[in-house]
Amino acid sequence: QTKTGIALLYDEVSENAYDIRLKLTKEVLTIQKQDVVCVSGSDHSANHRTVTLRRQPVGGLGLSIKGGAEHKVPVVISKIFKDQAAEQTGMLFIGDAIIQVNGINVENATHEEVVHLLRNAGDEVTITVQYLREAPSFLKLPLGSPGPSSDHSSGTSSPLFDSGLHLNGNSTNTAPSSPSSPIANEPKYEKRWLDTLSVPLSMARISRYKTGTDKLRSNAFEVLALDGVSTGILQFYTAQESADWLRAMSTNISDLTLQNMKMANKCCSPSDQVIHMGWVNERLEGTDSSQLYKFKFLALKGSSFYIFSTPPVSTLDWARAEKIYNLCEVLFKIHKLWLADDCWLQANLYLGIHQDFDLEDQRPYCFSVMVGHGKSHYFNVELGSELAVWEKSFQRAIFLEVQRTGSKTYMCSWQGDTLCFTVDFALGFTCFDSKTKNVLWRFKFSQLKGSSDDGKTRVKLLFQNLDTKQIETKELEFQDLTAVLHCIHSFIAAKVASVDPVFIDSQSIARKYMYSN
């Protein structure tokens, strides 16, 4: 998506917001700020311009000012009146900060002091100005080029008043003075949007949260490039604008991620393809039991689920993942969706394995990936659409791995005997003696009617005998019981999906939410 529009750049230190223009292309987000540039007649810097105004009997200096040291901002030109002295110079613009009046420095002067100087400066007033690129939004300076159509009024009242200097002031000369006008060889100036920062979107990430908190920014977010360069906090005038920009940027980032995946997959064997990857926030428990979130980059590739602190860019990078888990032995679980009517939906996607989570955090779009030894990772994404993609991708990656692997065998024991327990996509469950390889029992997936475990190492599997219809209980002990239970779940889910794909789709909590919205 390509898109342009006006937004605000919020400075957390000064707590001021500045007008900016955003330009979104397929690969880059560019931030532009307004500035005054010299377009002809001279190549010297447009930073400081010195202009002589001739006060007119009607209209005076033809401008209004706002701001002052008492507001911690310079005095700036807030209005320029058509066909009057200031406009006729062609060198003054709304947003120009007044640096000097008749040689007197006014950078730290109050509003009233500057008004007094300008009104009592005589018929010819020489002012030095510099365009204020970061004019705080509370000044409510209108954007655009000078002229009555765009700049005559900002349309809203400002907490700071305009002082009009289009009145006569204290003029000693009652005869009409010749109008201020640009001289032929004088440099010509224009106000333009200039690029100040370009953020590449490939592998970029977006955050709507205040750093280190669960507090959502109001109509605002930050975009961070792969190299850590940040746009700063982009603030929008309405929730709709914020949502539109968030969606557009997320779409472009996703499209680029897809391109990166295709490139990576050209170098990988068919059994080691990247199914999905992208940024998430992982919840970490702080030392003071506070909840902290950290950016993590997740990838589903081949037989593994990877967690990185930074995205893998080269083939070698895949070896430096923080964590790598076998896909057959993880369980994906959706926790929260933020619904249109602002109600929480607590959703256990899969039945059979329950784990209580502390769900006090206020982030929507949360999912966990439960791994071996009863551990889990708790993640959050920025958009409901991302949650639906992760859900579908985990499902697909797990099913592919089950079908590729075909079977998994785990060492286990019961009553002192060392046994082997195999989960097989075609045959179901088989238990055999690890030494003699004699099969002790075998059941199909459809014969498993229930299970219970002690949460540590021991599990009871309840199978129905096809002949007697009686329930047979088989007890086993595993070193990593969680991994085995997840594996059983993965194989059964993959089996169901191979027989009835529609059923699996109908269980998708995230996609139901997406369609309902």
mmCIF file with all atom_site columns, all heavy atoms in Angstrom, residues 261-284:
data_model
loop_
_atom_site.group_PDB
_atom_site.id
_atom_site.type_symbol
_atom_site.label_atom_id
_atom_site.label_alt_id
_atom_site.label_comp_id
_atom_site.label_asym_id
_atom_site.label_entity_id
_atom_site.label_seq_id
_atom_site.pdbx_PDB_ins_code
_atom_site.Cartn_x
_atom_site.Cartn_y
_atom_site.Cartn_z
_atom_site.occupancy
_atom_site.B_iso_or_equiv
_atom_site.pdbx_formal_charge
_atom_site.auth_seq_id
_atom_site.auth_comp_id
_atom_site.auth_asym_id
_atom_site.auth_atom_id
_atom_site.pdbx_PDB_model_num
ATOM 1   N N   . MET A 1 261 ? 10.883 -14.636 3.276  1.00 0.00 ? 261 MET A N   1
ATOM 2   C CA  . MET A 1 261 ? 10.674 -16.068 3.458  1.00 0.00 ? 261 MET A CA  1
ATOM 3   C C   . MET A 1 261 ? 10.925 -16.825 2.150  1.00 0.00 ? 261 MET A C   1
ATOM 4   O O   . MET A 1 261 ? 11.583 -17.862 2.137  1.00 0.00 ? 261 MET A O   1
ATOM 5   C CB  . MET A 1 261 ? 9.250  -16.339 3.953  1.00 0.00 ? 261 MET A CB  1
ATOM 6   C CG  . MET A 1 261 ? 9.074  -16.169 5.444  1.00 0.00 ? 261 MET A CG  1
ATOM 7   S SD  . MET A 1 261 ? 7.331  -16.067 5.960  1.00 0.00 ? 261 MET A SD  1
ATOM 8   C CE  . MET A 1 261 ? 6.590  -17.435 5.103  1.00 0.00 ? 261 MET A CE  1
ATOM 9   N N   . LYS A 1 262 ? 10.407 -16.270 1.048  1.00 0.00 ? 262 LYS A N   1
ATOM 10  C CA  . LYS A 1 262 ? 10.591 -16.917 -0.265 1.00 0.00 ? 262 LYS A CA  1
ATOM 11  C C   . LYS A 1 262 ? 12.068 -16.994 -0.625 1.00 0.00 ? 262 LYS A C   1
ATOM 12  O O   . LYS A 1 262 ? 12.542 -17.999 -1.159 1.00 0.00 ? 262 LYS A O   1
ATOM 13  C CB  . LYS A 1 262 ? 9.810  -16.151 -1.342 1.00 0.00 ? 262 LYS A CB  1
ATOM 14  C CG  . LYS A 1 262 ? 8.308  -16.431 -1.287 1.00 0.00 ? 262 LYS A CG  1
ATOM 15  C CD  . LYS A 1 262 ? 7.553  -15.603 -2.306 1.00 0.00 ? 262 LYS A CD  1
ATOM 16  C CE  . LYS A 1 262 ? 6.040  -15.857 -2.198 1.00 0.00 ? 262 LYS A CE  1
ATOM 17  N NZ  . LYS A 1 262 ? 5.274  -14.929 -3.045 1.00 0.00 ? 262 LYS A NZ  1
ATOM 18  N N   . MET A 1 263 ? 12.804 -15.916 -0.313 1.00 0.00 ? 263 MET A N   1
ATOM 19  C CA  . MET A 1 263 ? 14.247 -15.892 -0.579 1.00 0.00 ? 263 MET A CA  1
ATOM 20  C C   . MET A 1 263 ? 14.953 -16.955 0.266  1.00 0.00 ? 263 MET A C   1
ATOM 21  O O   . MET A 1 263 ? 15.784 -17.714 -0.235 1.00 0.00 ? 263 MET A O   1
ATOM 22  C CB  . MET A 1 263 ? 14.829 -14.504 -0.236 1.00 0.00 ? 263 MET A CB  1
ATOM 23  C CG  . MET A 1 263 ? 14.390 -13.410 -1.177 1.00 0.00 ? 263 MET A CG  1
ATOM 24  S SD  . MET A 1 263 ? 15.077 -13.576 -2.842 1.00 0.00 ? 263 MET A SD  1
ATOM 25  C CE  . MET A 1 263 ? 16.777 -13.142 -2.533 1.00 0.00 ? 263 MET A CE  1
ATOM 26  N N   . ALA A 1 264 ? 14.601 -17.016 1.562  1.00 0.00 ? 264 ALA A N   1
ATOM 27  C CA  . ALA A 1 264 ? 15.221 -17.986 2.477  1.00 0.00 ? 264 ALA A CA  1
ATOM 28  C C   . ALA A 1 264 ? 14.906 -19.412 2.030  1.00 0.00 ? 264 ALA A C   1
ATOM 29  O O   . ALA A 1 264 ? 15.767 -20.299 2.081  1.00 0.00 ? 264 ALA A O   1
ATOM 30  C CB  . ALA A 1 264 ? 14.736 -17.746 3.898  1.00 0.00 ? 264 ALA A CB  1
ATOM 31  N N   . ASN A 1 265 ? 13.673 -19.634 1.561  1.00 0.00 ? 265 ASN A N   1
ATOM 32  C CA  . ASN A 1 265 ? 13.240 -20.984 1.181  1.00 0.00 ? 265 ASN A CA  1
ATOM 33  C C   . ASN A 1 265 ? 13.921 -21.507 -0.082 1.00 0.00 ? 265 ASN A C   1
ATOM 34  O O   . ASN A 1 265 ? 13.970 -22.716 -0.304 1.00 0.00 ? 265 ASN A O   1
ATOM 35  C CB  . ASN A 1 265 ? 11.713 -21.026 1.036  1.00 0.00 ? 265 ASN A CB  1
ATOM 36  C CG  . ASN A 1 265 ? 11.021 -21.035 2.391  1.00 0.00 ? 265 ASN A CG  1
ATOM 37  O OD1 . ASN A 1 265 ? 11.636 -21.378 3.399  1.00 0.00 ? 265 ASN A OD1 1
ATOM 38  N ND2 . ASN A 1 265 ? 9.759  -20.652 2.422  1.00 0.00 ? 265 ASN A ND2 1
ATOM 39  N N   . LYS A 1 266 ? 14.470 -20.592 -0.901 1.00 0.00 ? 266 LYS A N   1
ATOM 40  C CA  . LYS A 1 266 ? 15.204 -21.026 -2.091 1.00 0.00 ? 266 LYS A CA  1
ATOM 41  C C   . LYS A 1 266 ? 16.471 -21.788 -1.701 1.00 0.00 ? 266 LYS A C   1
ATOM 42  O O   . LYS A 1 266 ? 16.966 -22.612 -2.452 1.00 0.00 ? 266 LYS A O   1
ATOM 43  C CB  . LYS A 1 266 ? 15.571 -19.811 -2.957 1.00 0.00 ? 266 LYS A CB  1
ATOM 44  C CG  . LYS A 1 266 ? 14.399 -19.267 -3.761 1.00 0.00 ? 266 LYS A CG  1
ATOM 45  C CD  . LYS A 1 266 ? 14.815 -18.075 -4.608 1.00 0.00 ? 266 LYS A CD  1
ATOM 46  C CE  . LYS A 1 266 ? 13.622 -17.528 -5.384 1.00 0.00 ? 266 LYS A CE  1
ATOM 47  N NZ  . LYS A 1 266 ? 13.990 -16.311 -6.136 1.00 0.00 ? 266 LYS A NZ  1
ATOM 48  N N   . CYS A 1 267 ? 16.997 -21.440 -0.505 1.00 0.00 ? 267 CYS A N   1
ATOM 49  C CA  . CYS A 1 267 ? 18.243 -22.069 -0.040 1.00 0.00 ? 267 CYS A CA  1
ATOM 50  C C   . CYS A 1 267 ? 17.972 -23.274 0.863  1.00 0.00 ? 267 CYS A C   1
ATOM 51  O O   . CYS A 1 267 ? 18.908 -23.878 1.376  1.00 0.00 ? 267 CYS A O   1
ATOM 52  C CB  . CYS A 1 267 ? 19.087 -21.056 0.738  1.00 0.00 ? 267 CYS A CB  1
ATOM 53  S SG  . CYS A 1 267 ? 19.263 -19.479 -0.085 1.00 0.00 ? 267 CYS A SG  1
ATOM 54  N N   . CYS A 1 268 ? 16.700 -23.559 1.119  1.00 0.00 ? 268 CYS A N   1
ATOM 55  C CA  . CYS A 1 268 ? 16.358 -24.638 2.067  1.00 0.00 ? 268 CYS A CA  1
ATOM 56  C C   . CYS A 1 268 ? 15.756 -25.835 1.332  1.00 0.00 ? 268 CYS A C   1
ATOM 57  O O   . CYS A 1 268 ? 15.080 -25.674 0.314  1.00 0.00 ? 268 CYS A O   1
ATOM 58  C CB  . CYS A 1 268 ? 15.363 -24.142 3.112  1.00 0.00 ? 268 CYS A CB  1
ATOM 59  S SG  . CYS A 1 268 ? 15.984 -22.775 4.082  1.00 0.00 ? 268 CYS A SG  1
ATOM 60  N N   . SER A 1 269 ? 15.956 -27.010 1.902  1.00 0.00 ? 269 SER A N   1
ATOM 61  C CA  . SER A 1 269 ? 15.354 -28.228 1.325  1.00 0.00 ? 269 SER A CA  1
ATOM 62  C C   . SER A 1 269 ? 13.845 -28.191 1.535  1.00 0.00 ? 269 SER A C   1
ATOM 63  O O   . SER A 1 269 ? 13.359 -27.475 2.421  1.00 0.00 ? 269 SER A O   1
ATOM 64  C CB  . SER A 1 269 ? 15.940 -29.453 2.008  1.00 0.00 ? 269 SER A CB  1
ATOM 65  O OG  . SER A 1 269 ? 15.510 -29.506 3.357  1.00 0.00 ? 269 SER A OG  1
ATOM 66  N N   . PRO A 1 270 ? 13.075 -28.961 0.756  1.00 0.00 ? 270 PRO A N   1
ATOM 67  C CA  . PRO A 1 270 ? 11.605 -28.949 0.899  1.00 0.00 ? 270 PRO A CA  1
ATOM 68  C C   . PRO A 1 270 ? 11.131 -29.294 2.315  1.00 0.00 ? 270 PRO A C   1
ATOM 69  O O   . PRO A 1 270 ? 10.079 -28.831 2.743  1.00 0.00 ? 270 PRO A O   1
ATOM 70  C CB  . PRO A 1 270 ? 11.143 -30.023 -0.102 1.00 0.00 ? 270 PRO A CB  1
ATOM 71  C CG  . PRO A 1 270 ? 12.242 -30.078 -1.112 1.00 0.00 ? 270 PRO A CG  1
ATOM 72  C CD  . PRO A 1 270 ? 13.506 -29.800 -0.366 1.00 0.00 ? 270 PRO A CD  1
ATOM 73  N N   . SER A 1 271 ? 11.938 -30.058 3.058  1.00 0.00 ? 271 SER A N   1
ATOM 74  C CA  . SER A 1 271 ? 11.530 -30.435 4.417  1.00 0.00 ? 271 SER A CA  1
ATOM 75  C C   . SER A 1 271 ? 11.952 -29.407 5.463  1.00 0.00 ? 271 SER A C   1
ATOM 76  O O   . SER A 1 271 ? 11.685 -29.569 6.655  1.00 0.00 ? 271 SER A O   1
ATOM 77  C CB  . SER A 1 271 ? 12.133 -31.791 4.795  1.00 0.00 ? 271 SER A CB  1
ATOM 78  O OG  . SER A 1 271 ? 13.551 -31.684 4.808  1.00 0.00 ? 271 SER A OG  1
ATOM 79  N N   . ASP A 1 272 ? 12.613 -28.330 5.007  1.00 0.00 ? 272 ASP A N   1
ATOM 80  C CA  . ASP A 1 272 ? 13.119 -27.328 5.960  1.00 0.00 ? 272 ASP A CA  1
ATOM 81  C C   . ASP A 1 272 ? 12.676 -25.915 5.584  1.00 0.00 ? 272 ASP A C   1
ATOM 82  O O   . ASP A 1 272 ? 13.400 -24.944 5.774  1.00 0.00 ? 272 ASP A O   1
ATOM 83  C CB  . ASP A 1 272 ? 14.652 -27.421 6.013  1.00 0.00 ? 272 ASP A CB  1
ATOM 84  C CG  . ASP A 1 272 ? 15.223 -26.794 7.283  1.00 0.00 ? 272 ASP A CG  1
ATOM 85  O OD1 . ASP A 1 272 ? 14.518 -26.775 8.306  1.00 0.00 ? 272 ASP A OD1 1
ATOM 86  O OD2 . ASP A 1 272 ? 16.372 -26.305 7.241  1.00 0.00 ? 272 ASP A OD2 1
ATOM 87  N N   . GLN A 1 273 ? 11.476 -25.804 5.038  1.00 0.00 ? 273 GLN A N   1
ATOM 88  C CA  . GLN A 1 273 ? 10.952 -24.512 4.579  1.00 0.00 ? 273 GLN A CA  1
ATOM 89  C C   . GLN A 1 273 ? 10.450 -23.654 5.743  1.00 0.00 ? 273 GLN A C   1
ATOM 90  O O   . GLN A 1 273 ? 9.975  -24.173 6.759  1.00 0.00 ? 273 GLN A O   1
ATOM 91  C CB  . GLN A 1 273 ? 9.794  -24.733 3.600  1.00 0.00 ? 273 GLN A CB  1
ATOM 92  C CG  . GLN A 1 273 ? 10.193 -25.495 2.334  1.00 0.00 ? 273 GLN A CG  1
ATOM 93  C CD  . GLN A 1 273 ? 10.915 -24.626 1.316  1.00 0.00 ? 273 GLN A CD  1
ATOM 94  O OE1 . GLN A 1 273 ? 10.350 -23.697 0.776  1.00 0.00 ? 273 GLN A OE1 1
ATOM 95  N NE2 . GLN A 1 273 ? 12.185 -24.923 1.072  1.00 0.00 ? 273 GLN A NE2 1
ATOM 96  N N   . VAL A 1 274 ? 10.563 -22.328 5.558  1.00 0.00 ? 274 VAL A N   1
ATOM 97  C CA  . VAL A 1 274 ? 9.987  -21.393 6.536  1.00 0.00 ? 274 VAL A CA  1
ATOM 98  C C   . VAL A 1 274 ? 8.490  -21.293 6.253  1.00 0.00 ? 274 VAL A C   1
ATOM 99  O O   . VAL A 1 274 ? 8.083  -20.952 5.137  1.00 0.00 ? 274 VAL A O   1
ATOM 100 C CB  . VAL A 1 274 ? 10.631 -19.990 6.438  1.00 0.00 ? 274 VAL A CB  1
ATOM 101 C CG1 . VAL A 1 274 ? 10.025 -19.045 7.472  1.00 0.00 ? 274 VAL A CG1 1
ATOM 102 C CG2 . VAL A 1 274 ? 12.137 -20.069 6.602  1.00 0.00 ? 274 VAL A CG2 1
ATOM 103 N N   . ILE A 1 275 ? 7.676  -21.597 7.256  1.00 0.00 ? 275 ILE A N   1
ATOM 104 C CA  . ILE A 1 275 ? 6.211  -21.522 7.107  1.00 0.00 ? 275 ILE A CA  1
ATOM 105 C C   . ILE A 1 275 ? 5.720  -20.118 7.444  1.00 0.00 ? 275 ILE A C   1
ATOM 106 O O   . ILE A 1 275 ? 4.877  -19.548 6.770  1.00 0.00 ? 275 ILE A O   1
ATOM 107 C CB  . ILE A 1 275 ? 5.511  -22.546 8.047  1.00 0.00 ? 275 ILE A CB  1
ATOM 108 C CG1 . ILE A 1 275 ? 5.967  -23.976 7.727  1.00 0.00 ? 275 ILE A CG1 1
ATOM 109 C CG2 . ILE A 1 275 ? 3.989  -22.430 7.963  1.00 0.00 ? 275 ILE A CG2 1
ATOM 110 C CD1 . ILE A 1 275 ? 5.575  -24.500 6.370  1.00 0.00 ? 275 ILE A CD1 1
ATOM 111 N N   . HIS A 1 276 ? 6.273  -19.549 8.514  1.00 0.00 ? 276 HIS A N   1
ATOM 112 C CA  . HIS A 1 276 ? 5.880  -18.191 8.909  1.00 0.00 ? 276 HIS A CA  1
ATOM 113 C C   . HIS A 1 276 ? 6.931  -17.626 9.851  1.00 0.00 ? 276 HIS A C   1
ATOM 114 O O   . HIS A 1 276 ? 7.608  -18.359 10.571 1.00 0.00 ? 276 HIS A O   1
ATOM 115 C CB  . HIS A 1 276 ? 4.517  -18.201 9.605  1.00 0.00 ? 276 HIS A CB  1
ATOM 116 C CG  . HIS A 1 276 ? 3.983  -16.816 9.878  1.00 0.00 ? 276 HIS A CG  1
ATOM 117 N ND1 . HIS A 1 276 ? 3.828  -15.888 8.873  1.00 0.00 ? 276 HIS A ND1 1
ATOM 118 C CD2 . HIS A 1 276 ? 3.594  -16.198 11.018 1.00 0.00 ? 276 HIS A CD2 1
ATOM 119 C CE1 . HIS A 1 276 ? 3.354  -14.754 9.393  1.00 0.00 ? 276 HIS A CE1 1
ATOM 120 N NE2 . HIS A 1 276 ? 3.216  -14.921 10.687 1.00 0.00 ? 276 HIS A NE2 1
ATOM 121 N N   . MET A 1 277 ? 7.082  -16.307 9.844  1.00 0.00 ? 277 MET A N   1
ATOM 122 C CA  . MET A 1 277 ? 7.954  -15.642 10.815 1.00 0.00 ? 277 MET A CA  1
ATOM 123 C C   . MET A 1 277 ? 7.501  -14.205 11.012 1.00 0.00 ? 277 MET A C   1
ATOM 124 O O   . MET A 1 277 ? 6.827  -13.632 10.149 1.00 0.00 ? 277 MET A O   1
ATOM 125 C CB  . MET A 1 277 ? 9.419  -15.712 10.376 1.00 0.00 ? 277 MET A CB  1
ATOM 126 C CG  . MET A 1 277 ? 9.748  -15.075 9.038  1.00 0.00 ? 277 MET A CG  1
ATOM 127 S SD  . MET A 1 277 ? 11.485 -15.380 8.615  1.00 0.00 ? 277 MET A SD  1
ATOM 128 C CE  . MET A 1 277 ? 11.668 -14.341 7.153  1.00 0.00 ? 277 MET A CE  1
ATOM 129 N N   . GLY A 1 278 ? 7.851  -13.630 12.135 1.00 0.00 ? 278 GLY A N   1
ATOM 130 C CA  . GLY A 1 278 ? 7.449  -12.250 12.404 1.00 0.00 ? 278 GLY A CA  1
ATOM 131 C C   . GLY A 1 278 ? 7.700  -11.850 13.851 1.00 0.00 ? 278 GLY A C   1
ATOM 132 O O   . GLY A 1 278 ? 8.024  -12.674 14.706 1.00 0.00 ? 278 GLY A O   1
ATOM 133 N N   . TRP A 1 279 ? 7.515  -10.543 14.094 1.00 0.00 ? 279 TRP A N   1
ATOM 134 C CA  . TRP A 1 279 ? 7.730  -9.981  15.437 1.00 0.00 ? 279 TRP A CA  1
ATOM 135 C C   . TRP A 1 279 ? 6.527  -10.219 16.342 1.00 0.00 ? 279 TRP A C   1
ATOM 136 O O   . TRP A 1 279 ? 5.390  -10.177 15.889 1.00 0.00 ? 279 TRP A O   1
ATOM 137 C CB  . TRP A 1 279 ? 7.966  -8.476  15.345 1.00 0.00 ? 279 TRP A CB  1
ATOM 138 C CG  . TRP A 1 279 ? 9.307  -8.081  14.835 1.00 0.00 ? 279 TRP A CG  1
ATOM 139 C CD1 . TRP A 1 279 ? 9.598  -7.633  13.570 1.00 0.00 ? 279 TRP A CD1 1
ATOM 140 C CD2 . TRP A 1 279 ? 10.545 -8.093  15.544 1.00 0.00 ? 279 TRP A CD2 1
ATOM 141 N NE1 . TRP A 1 279 ? 10.942 -7.357  13.462 1.00 0.00 ? 279 TRP A NE1 1
ATOM 142 C CE2 . TRP A 1 279 ? 11.547 -7.634  14.659 1.00 0.00 ? 279 TRP A CE2 1
ATOM 143 C CE3 . TRP A 1 279 ? 10.907 -8.443  16.849 1.00 0.00 ? 279 TRP A CE3 1
ATOM 144 C CZ2 . TRP A 1 279 ? 12.882 -7.513  15.039 1.00 0.00 ? 279 TRP A CZ2 1
ATOM 145 C CZ3 . TRP A 1 279 ? 12.241 -8.327  17.226 1.00 0.00 ? 279 TRP A CZ3 1
ATOM 146 C CH2 . TRP A 1 279 ? 13.213 -7.871  16.326 1.00 0.00 ? 279 TRP A CH2 1
ATOM 147 N N   . VAL A 1 280 ? 6.801  -10.427 17.613 1.00 0.00 ? 280 VAL A N   1
ATOM 148 C CA  . VAL A 1 280 ? 5.768  -10.506 18.659 1.00 0.00 ? 280 VAL A CA  1
ATOM 149 C C   . VAL A 1 280 ? 6.353  -9.823  19.898 1.00 0.00 ? 280 VAL A C   1
ATOM 150 O O   . VAL A 1 280 ? 7.533  -9.471  19.929 1.00 0.00 ? 280 VAL A O   1
ATOM 151 C CB  . VAL A 1 280 ? 5.405  -11.971 19.016 1.00 0.00 ? 280 VAL A CB  1
ATOM 152 C CG1 . VAL A 1 280 ? 4.808  -12.704 17.826 1.00 0.00 ? 280 VAL A CG1 1
ATOM 153 C CG2 . VAL A 1 280 ? 6.609  -12.722 19.567 1.00 0.00 ? 280 VAL A CG2 1
ATOM 154 N N   . ASN A 1 281 ? 5.526  -9.658  20.923 1.00 0.00 ? 281 ASN A N   1
ATOM 155 C CA  . ASN A 1 281 ? 6.031  -9.245  22.242 1.00 0.00 ? 281 ASN A CA  1
ATOM 156 C C   . ASN A 1 281 ? 5.939  -10.455 23.151 1.00 0.00 ? 281 ASN A C   1
ATOM 157 O O   . ASN A 1 281 ? 4.896  -11.108 23.192 1.00 0.00 ? 281 ASN A O   1
ATOM 158 C CB  . ASN A 1 281 ? 5.163  -8.131  22.831 1.00 0.00 ? 281 ASN A CB  1
ATOM 159 C CG  . ASN A 1 281 ? 5.164  -6.896  21.962 1.00 0.00 ? 281 ASN A CG  1
ATOM 160 O OD1 . ASN A 1 281 ? 6.179  -6.252  21.812 1.00 0.00 ? 281 ASN A OD1 1
ATOM 161 N ND2 . ASN A 1 281 ? 4.014  -6.566  21.376 1.00 0.00 ? 281 ASN A ND2 1
ATOM 162 N N   . GLU A 1 282 ? 7.016  -10.749 23.883 1.00 0.00 ? 282 GLU A N   1
ATOM 163 C CA  . GLU A 1 282 ? 6.948  -11.854 24.851 1.00 0.00 ? 282 GLU A CA  1
ATOM 164 C C   . GLU A 1 282 ? 6.865  -11.290 26.260 1.00 0.00 ? 282 GLU A C   1
ATOM 165 O O   . GLU A 1 282 ? 7.602  -10.374 26.618 1.00 0.00 ? 282 GLU A O   1
ATOM 166 C CB  . GLU A 1 282 ? 8.169  -12.774 24.748 1.00 0.00 ? 282 GLU A CB  1
ATOM 167 C CG  . GLU A 1 282 ? 8.055  -13.928 25.743 1.00 0.00 ? 282 GLU A CG  1
ATOM 168 C CD  . GLU A 1 282 ? 9.146  -14.979 25.653 1.00 0.00 ? 282 GLU A CD  1
ATOM 169 O OE1 . GLU A 1 282 ? 10.176 -14.725 25.002 1.00 0.00 ? 282 GLU A OE1 1
ATOM 170 O OE2 . GLU A 1 282 ? 8.962  -16.060 26.225 1.00 0.00 ? 282 GLU A OE2 1
ATOM 171 N N   . ARG A 1 283 ? 5.955  -11.857 27.048 1.00 0.00 ? 283 ARG A N   1
ATOM 172 C CA  . ARG A 1 283 ? 5.818  -11.414 28.438 1.00 0.00 ? 283 ARG A CA  1
ATOM 173 C C   . ARG A 1 283 ? 6.880  -12.095 29.284 1.00 0.00 ? 283 ARG A C   1
ATOM 174 O O   . ARG A 1 283 ? 7.012  -13.311 29.271 1.00 0.00 ? 283 ARG A O   1
ATOM 175 C CB  . ARG A 1 283 ? 4.425  -11.751 28.980 1.00 0.00 ? 283 ARG A CB  1
ATOM 176 C CG  . ARG A 1 283 ? 4.164  -11.106 30.335 1.00 0.00 ? 283 ARG A CG  1
ATOM 177 C CD  . ARG A 1 283 ? 2.756  -11.361 30.797 1.00 0.00 ? 283 ARG A CD  1
ATOM 178 N NE  . ARG A 1 283 ? 2.630  -12.711 31.331 1.00 0.00 ? 283 ARG A NE  1
ATOM 179 C CZ  . ARG A 1 283 ? 1.467  -13.238 31.709 1.00 0.00 ? 283 ARG A CZ  1
ATOM 180 N NH1 . ARG A 1 283 ? 0.353  -12.551 31.558 1.00 0.00 ? 283 ARG A NH1 1
ATOM 181 N NH2 . ARG A 1 283 ? 1.422  -14.458 32.198 1.00 0.00 ? 283 ARG A NH2 1
ATOM 182 N N   . LEU A 1 284 ? 7.631  -11.282 30.007 1.00 0.00 ? 284 LEU A N   1
ATOM 183 C CA  . LEU A 1 284 ? 8.655  -11.808 30.906 1.00 0.00 ? 284 LEU A CA  1
ATOM 184 C C   . LEU A 1 284 ? 8.279  -11.414 32.323 1.00 0.00 ? 284 LEU A C   1
ATOM 185 O O   . LEU A 1 284 ? 7.785  -10.312 32.556 1.00 0.00 ? 284 LEU A O   1
ATOM 186 C CB  . LEU A 1 284 ? 10.031 -11.221 30.565 1.00 0.00 ? 284 LEU A CB  1
ATOM 187 C CG  . LEU A 1 284 ? 10.466 -11.324 29.099 1.00 0.00 ? 284 LEU A CG  1
ATOM 188 C CD1 . LEU A 1 284 ? 11.702 -10.480 28.864 1.00 0.00 ? 284 LEU A CD1 1
ATOM 189 C CD2 . LEU A 1 284 ? 10.746 -12.772 28.730 1.00 0.00 ? 284 LEU A CD2 1
#
